[in-house]
Amino acid sequence: MMDRMAYLFSLEKELKDLAIDERQNALAYYGEYLADAQAAGQNDAVAVLGSPHTLAAQIKADIAMGDGALYNVNRPTSNASDNAGSDPSQSPLQSEAPPLAK
């Protein structure tokens, strides 16, 4: 199985035809996602995302459809009051999982 850094390197190569800011936002988003997953002990996060080629195709489609804002890592963070009533057993990664290729 590919490790996080190798995955992100391959994803970057697949996204080479995007504008640099779009590519950097997507890489930062998925880099953060994978780091958070690893910290939470979810060692299968790379496998869950699918191949870098498939994920890159989904990212490009999202951007083409105007959904590229998803990858803006400068989004506001939620605070504890936003999570009131949520299931404490659910990982934040499960509730904020990136879109997966269909």
Side-chain angles (χ1 to χ4, degrees), residues 13-102:
K13 288 172 54 178
E14 293 288 339
L15 296 174
K16 68 183 179 288
D17 55 335
L18 289 180
I20 191 147
D21 61 326
E22 291 172 332
R23 183 173 59 241
Q24 288 175 339
N25 284 344
L27 289 168
Y29 178 87
Y30 285 102
E32 182 180 315
Y33 170 80
L34 291 170
D36 289 349
Q38 184 177 21
Q42 296 176 342
N43 298 324
D44 63 341
V46 167
V48 169
L49 290 177
S51 74
H53 178 79
T54 301
L55 181 58
Q58 182 63 47
I59 291 168
K60 291 173 188 179
D62 288 346
I63 290 170
M65 293 175 48
D67 294 335
L70 170 69
Y71 308 110
N72 183 357
V73 294
N74 296 322
R75 63 195 180 279
T77 57
S78 63
N79 60 35
S81 64
D82 291 342
N83 295 327
S86 65
D87 180 1
S89 67
Q90 184 178 17
S91 162
L93 292 173
Q94 292 169 334
S95 63
E96 297 178 14
L100 299 177
K102 296 177 175 114

